Amino acid sequence: MRKLVLTIISSLFILSCNDDDDITVKLGTGNQLGDNSGGSSASVYYTPTSTLKGTATFPIGVAMSQNQAGSANFTAIASKEFNSVTAGNEMKFSTHSPAQGTYNWAPGDAIVNFAKTNNMRLHGHTLIWHQQVPTWVTNFSGTNAEFEAAIKSYVTEVVTHYKGKVASWDVVNEALNEDGSLRSTIFSQKLGSNYITKVFQWARAADPTAKLFYNDYNLESNITKANAAIALANANSTLIDGIGLQMHISITTPSATVLNTIMDNVVATGKLIHFSELDVIVNPNGSVSSYDYATALTQKNKYKEVFGIYKTKVPSAQRFGITVWGMRDVDSWLKVNGNNFNDYPLLFGDNYEYKIAHQGVIEALK
């Protein structure tokens, strides 16, 4: 995939706050568009007869915000289609701990309550990441030993707070460069080159039952980086339970050949495998001005391809599941952080219409 945006801020996820509960949830009455293949008319939306979670043999997740937890429309779709949720921002470092030793649990607890109320698994995202870090961390003036004690305390406090509520964690996020080397961050600089192992040790001690993941972008398309993540997981075999491939992809990349090759290598680790932040952009070059049927069909086929490869390649014991990074197109992190308002990367339209991309997923899962 082109890395112009995704390699910089691929996980920075700002869910939309304009979740209007007076919008009627729409099933298949979307825009009728001219069919470029010769048919008289076709729709980018459809009326489903099956649900994602009802069709899949592994968990299907969605990223969400605290605001959406109070939305009747979001809840109606989420509880019907998904059985796992990930907090988009509410469990990140800057949200949890705006000041050293001070914790803001309300946003994360709102996601916990949503998951519990709707009988959904909760995946924690993320404990340590070089972005969305509070200023007390970036401006830390103490010794490296004091910094390590502070970070250990933070990880321990957070994981302990959610023990028994959060089933799994992205413990370390995006720690590798594209060439597979360790990214230089405040954590590597102050905690040392083995900081990833330390953080996993702290998380494991705080909640021995939680599944612990290393999570990163471009693992589905960059074989060198994927192999580095695999080596990291193998080197910490008793600490790292799974690998999260973010899957911020496009309608053209990665190719099925590349993804299949990488999946063979990841599966060989025996670790749990999570497609953790899936979206499929349709406008990687900025040339798409509208979401027409031809574009929607291409996106449908890419979603179908990705889910099909996961179902075919990943043994059932290693299927942690697939999480889409938002519900509606208007909720996508790309709308703000990608500066790409002409993109439509998710499974539902802005008014909760079921896109034919959803149909493609159902077809792959059957």
Side-chain angles (χ1 to χ4, degrees):
M1 177 175 20
R2 295 181 76 236
K3 301 181 178 62
L4 68 166
V5 174
L6 301 182
T7 58
I8 301 174
I9 51 174
S10 67
S11 255
L12 184 55
F13 178 55
I14 308 296
L15 281 162
S16 173
C17 296
N18 59 349
D19 194 63
D20 299 321
D21 276 345
D22 58 346
I23 296 173
T24 301
V25 177
K26 299 179 181 180
L27 296 179
T29 58
N31 297 332
Q32 297 297 315
L33 301 173
D35 184 347
N36 295 333
S37 64
S40 60
S41 67
S43 179
V44 300
Y45 308 125
Y46 87 115
T47 301
T49 57
S50 302
T51 66
L52 298 174
K53 73 176 186 181
T55 308
T57 56
F58 49 83
I60 304 294
V62 64
M64 65 174 293
S65 69
Q66 180 181 7
N67 290 325
Q68 288 172 321
S71 162
N73 279 334
F74 179 89
T75 301
I77 298 291
S79 61
K80 180 179 180 181
E81 295 289 335
F82 302 98
N83 47 20
S84 179
V85 291
T86 301
N89 284 302
E90 287 75 5
M91 294 185 176
K92 289 177 179 173
F93 207 151
S94 58
T95 301
H96 269 145
S97 184
Q100 186 175 359
T102 299
Y103 293 92
N104 176 23
W105 301 119
D109 286 346
I111 308 298
V112 169
N113 292 335
F114 180 91
K116 182 178 180 180
T117 299
N118 293 284
N119 194 29
M120 304 169 86
R121 182 184 72 184
L122 178 54
H123 179 67
H125 176 80
T126 176
L127 291 175
I128 296 297
W129 183 35
H130 63 281
Q131 296 191 41
Q132 290 183 260
V133 178
T135 55
W136 73 262
V137 173
T138 56
N139 296 334
F140 195 86
S141 59
T143 66
N144 287 353
E146 290 169 336
F147 182 83
E148 180 166 330
I151 301 304
K152 179 180 180 180
S153 176
Y154 168 77
V155 171
T156 301
E157 288 286 341
V158 170
V159 177
T160 300
H161 176 81
Y162 294 110
K163 184 177 182 180
K165 302 171 185 176
V166 171
S168 52
W169 283 98
D170 290 330
V171 176
V172 176
N173 191 52
E174 300 179 4
L176 298 175
N177 293 311
E178 292 303 290
D179 64 359
S181 62
L182 184 67
R183 184 193 297 272
S184 178
T185 69
I186 192 168
F187 301 108
S188 66
Q189 294 160 12
K190 290 185 173 291
L191 298 177
S193 60
N194 66 334
Y195 86 91
I196 296 175
T197 298
K198 293 179 181 178
V199 177
F200 273 90
Q201 289 172 336
W202 301 334
R204 176 71 78 211
D207 187 354
T209 65
K211 299 299 183 183
L212 307 181
F213 284 77
Y214 174 74
N215 190 58
D216 214 328
Y217 62 87
N218 288 345
L219 299 186
E220 73 288 335
S221 58
N222 182 337
I223 294 176
T224 298
K225 188 174 186 180
N227 286 340
I230 289 168
L232 176 67
N234 287 337
N236 294 276
S237 58
T238 62
L239 294 172
I240 299 179
D241 297 308
I243 298 173
L245 295 84
Q246 290 184 8
M247 298 294 294
H248 294 296
I249 65 174
S250 80
I251 55 177
T252 58
T253 57
S255 68
T257 299
V258 169
L259 182 55
N260 273 306
T261 297
I262 289 174
M263 290 307 296
D264 285 337
N265 296 338
V266 177
V267 166
T269 66
K271 300 292 185 182
L272 294 170
I273 299 172
H274 187 197
F275 284 1
S276 58
E277 304 181 20
L278 175 62
D279 46 29
V280 179
I281 63 175
V282 302
N283 197 14
N285 300 314
S287 60
V288 174
S289 59
S290 64
Y291 188 64
D292 60 16
Y293 178 71
T295 301
L297 184 61
T298 303
Q299 184 186 52
K300 170 190 173 180
N301 290 335
K302 194 64 174 182
Y303 265 108
K304 183 176 180 178
E305 177 182 276
V306 166
F307 273 79
I309 289 173
Y310 187 90
K311 180 182 177 183
T312 301
K313 287 287 184 178
V314 183
S316 57
Q318 291 176 254
R319 295 176 188 164
F320 191 75
I322 297 179
T323 296
V324 291
W325 209 235
M327 181 180 288
R328 304 176 298 167
D329 288 332
V330 73
D331 300 325
S332 173
W333 67 283
L334 291 163
K335 292 289 188 178
V336 175
N337 299 299
N339 295 317
N340 194 347
F341 292 94
N342 287 323
D343 219 312
Y344 313 85
L346 299 171
L347 297 178
F348 294 85
D350 292 353
N351 294 331
Y352 296 95
E353 303 97 333
Y354 280 73
K355 294 166 58 177
I356 59 173
H358 178 281
Q359 185 179 38
V361 174
I362 295 293
E363 291 172 358
L365 292 173
K366 287 186 174 179

